[in-house]
Amino acid sequence: MEKTNVQCDATNRVDWPAFGEALFDLVRRTSCELPADVEAALKRAHDEEAPDSTARMVLAAFLENMALAREKQAPLCQDTGVPLFFVHHPPGLSRRTMRRVCEEVVARATREQLLRPNAVDPVTGRNSGTCVGRGTPGVFFEEWDDDAISVALMLKGGGSENVGRQYSLPDDALSAGRDLEGVRRVVLDAVRRAEGKGCPPGILGICIGADRSSGYAHSKHQLLRPLDDVNPDPALAELEARILREANTLGIGPLGLGGKTTLLGVKIGALHRHPASFFVTVTYMCWEHRRREIRIEADGTYRFTG
Amino acid sequence: MIELNIPIAEERILSLHAGDAVAISGIATTGRDEAHKYLVDHLIEGPRPLSAEDQRLFEELKTIYRSGAIYHSGPIVRNVDGRWSIVSSGPTTSIRDEIYEDKVIAAFGLRVVIGKGGMGPRTLAACKTHKAVYVHGLGGAGVTNAQAMVEVLDVFKKEEFGLPEAFWKIRFDHFPGIVTMDAHGRSLHEELGKTFDDRLAALLRSG
């Protein structure tokens, strides 16, 4: 438990500079240290690959990189991605202010080499130099009935983002109809197409349903779930397990160089869809799934909860 | 682990085969999307005469790349008292440079292209014609890779391209990777891709 003065009293006045310090700590930890569930999954994958295989050698290098990054407090990957903040907060807090603090923290972390400047103006081609620009970082808010503020941060790398896909069912080429079997078929196709380009072994965040924009947003939310949780919907839990098992028979392996471990996890959510639409949206997360979470209590203390 | 020291002789490249683990040492540069666009659109195919600044950089890059290497990476860099160092620098996805790489290999006489995810038939053909290999780096292992990038010697186009896209001239020391496309026309990516296709087809049949 780290005691700070992130005071959030009954009238919801927050000590914003202290809130920023807590967020900076979150950025540092997210960029330099993988969460325990991801580390454990990578260690398991390493042990399961054949001795002397390329896959095992690659996974051993990943484990070494994790240890080095932690020791040196250096970013695990040079691509610190697009920072995505997911904030849960009590009623009455200024979202505009929270967004501003997120941006300030990202700019500071970029100055201190915890993040790479990843915001490029697509018209002029100019890099903003701060990792802050129009639409980035992403900040998503939910209000809840809790006195505390919870902030999850995900660093979403560009290479893996590029191999995400959205399918509109039915899909003739894949004989994918508008049912969970259709979902299974297109998701396996997405894993095949991503091959080594998304830095496998990957983790899939999937959304079934809703529209094109909410599909991508919800698929990213799925990536916040711990790798070892069980989907509360039994049909989706079964589908997750099946896709994970089957994708790992494709032989893509770590970095696409062949091996048993192609995916570390599959997380599926479902949103109500328009009768005419049946979207399946797949967001691919690389092996280095950098996501951490802090919880700031009303008394100003905060701790890492993920 | 096979050691490759820049400059690398043609015979050395011909002795390599897809699947070989290598450790690369010597002076090379990073270069990704903007760098490749600039190399081809300006230096190789751009209108002549080149500006004095472009000509100078062209000459410098010719010296570095002749029998040398380019690394697809956009590093995180640190500057302390005017001296740059590499903090984290894994490979970026190479296929985005597929439309440029064959021309870069041909024009500069590159022996090694380092990146991740593999490249396509144009690059594979250029590797065969000009005796070069594609080395797959350790994607995501930014700190491990940075340990093998021991000295920043210079940087080109930093202001214009931004820090990740600039050419960073670096001394490499035992930089790790695996040859996945060799100078004999063999691509591990192509071969593995056929296996992935077969296995996917089997899974979809069993649906």
Side-chain angles (χ1 to χ4, degrees):
Chain A
M1 184 78 76
E2 283 146 278
K3 177 72 183 169
T4 69
N5 54 349
V6 189
Q7 198 59 48
C8 179
D9 65 18
T11 52
N12 287 319
R13 283 194 302 266
V14 174
D15 178 342
W16 293 116
F19 178 71
E21 288 301 320
L23 252 53
F24 184 77
D25 199 11
L26 174 64
V27 173
R28 175 196 301 281
R29 184 81 67 96
T30 310
S31 184
C32 304
E33 298 177 31
L34 287 185
D37 59 330
V38 178
E39 268 203 43
L42 288 163
K43 281 183 183 141
R44 269 199 309 278
H46 169 270
D47 295 346
E48 281 165 17
E49 296 285 355
D52 300 327
S53 63
T54 300
R56 194 171 173 126
M57 190 204 89
V58 168
L59 285 161
F62 290 175
L63 298 180
E64 181 198 298
N65 188 65
M66 282 181 332
L68 270 176
R70 184 188 301 268
E71 178 197 318
K72 297 163 82 91
Q73 288 292 291
L76 286 149
C77 181
Q78 81 292 340
D79 183 10
T80 54
V82 175
L84 302 172
F85 292 90
F86 300 86
V87 183
H88 282 79
H89 64 88
L93 287 190
S94 165
R95 291 183 168 184
R96 196 166 28 171
T97 307
M98 285 189 275
R99 184 183 301 279
R100 179 177 53 74
V101 174
C102 287
E103 290 175 358
E104 286 169 0
V105 164
V106 163
R108 178 182 159 200
T110 307
R111 281 195 303 277
E112 299 190 20
Q113 298 99 34
L114 290 167
L115 299 175
R116 191 177 64 179
N118 273 352
V120 180
D121 185 316
V123 180
T124 63
R126 213 157 285 134
N127 190 316
S128 75
T130 59
C131 209
V132 177
R134 288 188 302 279
T136 188
V139 188
F140 306 95
F141 297 102
E142 281 292 334
E143 189 173 303
W144 66 1
D145 295 323
D146 194 320
D147 291 340
I149 305 172
S150 142
V151 185
L153 171 63
M154 189 192 300
L155 298 179
K156 183 66 184 71
S160 61
E161 186 70 359
N162 287 351
V163 298
R165 299 186 82 82
Q166 189 165 60
Y167 297 85
S168 176
L169 302 190
D171 185 306
D172 276 352
L174 292 164
S175 305
R178 299 178 142 208
D179 50 26
L180 293 188
E181 168 58 15
V183 174
R184 167 188 168 260
R185 300 178 80 86
V186 297
V187 172
L188 288 171
D189 178 69
V191 176
R192 160 63 189 102
R193 287 171 185 265
E195 48 181 13
K197 295 181 184 70
C199 274
I203 297 129
L204 302 185
I206 298 165
C207 174
I208 309 173
D211 65 17
R212 290 192 184 273
S213 59
S214 61
Y216 273 117
H218 193 67
S219 69
K220 291 208 166 80
H221 274 88
Q222 291 301 310
L223 290 170
L224 294 171
R225 290 169 47 197
L227 286 179
D228 49 7
D229 76 348
V230 176
N231 198 311
D233 181 325
L236 295 182
E238 194 187 321
L239 186 61
E240 288 177 357
R242 184 172 181 194
I243 292 174
L244 178 62
R245 190 175 65 244
E246 294 185 333
N248 282 335
T249 68
L250 288 172
I252 294 170
L255 299 181
L257 301 176
K260 292 178 193 167
T261 321
T262 297
L263 293 182
L264 298 175
V266 178
K267 302 291 164 189
I268 307 177
L271 300 177
H272 281 70
R273 61 180 177 83
H274 183 280
S277 301
F278 196 122
F279 293 111
V280 180
T281 309
V282 182
T283 292
Y284 196 106
M285 176 57 89
C286 62
W287 68 267
E288 220 155 31
H289 187 7
R290 289 154 292 171
R291 64 151 151 65
R292 311 291 305 217
E293 185 183 77
I294 52 168
R295 181 181 161 91
I296 304 168
E297 303 296 339
D299 68 3
T301 56
Y302 74 92
R303 64 191 162 91
F304 279 85
T305 48
Chain B
M1 189 77 79
I2 298 167
E3 302 221 359
L4 293 179
N5 295 304
I6 297 167
I8 305 165
E10 182 178 325
E11 305 76 63
R12 189 82 175 134
I13 292 298
L14 289 172
S15 75
L16 296 171
H17 296 278
D20 287 344
V22 294
I24 301 163
S25 301
I27 294 166
T29 80
T30 62
R32 43 177 291 167
D33 308 60
E34 290 293 325
H36 279 77
K37 188 171 163 54
Y38 169 78
L39 288 173
V40 173
D41 291 354
H42 287 263
L43 299 189
I44 299 173
E45 295 179 350
R48 294 300 192 263
L50 292 173
S51 71
E53 191 202 333
D54 282 345
Q55 190 62 46
R56 262 198 309 278
L57 183 51
F58 198 13
E59 296 307 322
E60 167 108 30
L61 291 173
K62 278 185 200 166
T63 312
I64 299 169
Y65 292 154
R66 176 71 50 202
S67 302
I70 193 167
Y71 177 30
H72 299 158
S73 179
I76 296 178
V77 289
R78 180 172 293 154
N79 190 319
V80 179
D81 302 327
R83 287 188 70 85
W84 291 101
S85 62
I86 303 292
V87 177
S88 190
S89 188
T92 191
T93 309
S94 299
I95 196 68
R96 295 193 304 269
D97 294 321
E98 176 67 7
I99 57 169
Y100 301 118
E101 204 69 78
D102 56 345
K103 294 174 181 169
V104 175
I105 291 170
F108 288 95
L110 277 172
R111 291 276 180 240
V112 180
V113 175
I114 313 167
K116 77 170 171 81
M119 301 192 75
R122 285 173 61 170
T123 302
L124 186 62
C127 283
K128 193 171 180 184
T129 307
H130 303 284
K131 313 302 176 228
V133 292
Y134 175 83
V135 170
H136 200 293
L138 297 167
V143 189
T144 299
N145 284 308
Q147 300 269 91
M149 300 165 76
V150 289
E151 191 183 357
V152 176
L153 301 166
D154 210 342
V155 56
F156 314 117
K157 292 282 175 187
K158 177 166 65 71
E159 308 307 327
E160 202 177 324
F161 296 170
L163 296 179
E165 299 269 358
F167 295 94
W168 292 90
K169 181 181 173 185
I170 287 162
R171 184 187 306 284
F172 289 74
D173 184 18
H174 291 86
F175 187 92
I178 297 161
V179 175
T180 54
M181 295 161 63
D182 63 26
H184 309 288
R186 213 183 134 204
S187 163
L188 224 50
H189 305 284
E190 212 177 273
E191 292 171 16
L192 285 166
K194 286 181 185 129
T195 311
F196 307 158
D197 282 339
D198 292 346
R199 293 187 180 177
L200 176 63
L203 284 174
L204 296 186
R205 269 197 305 277
S206 73

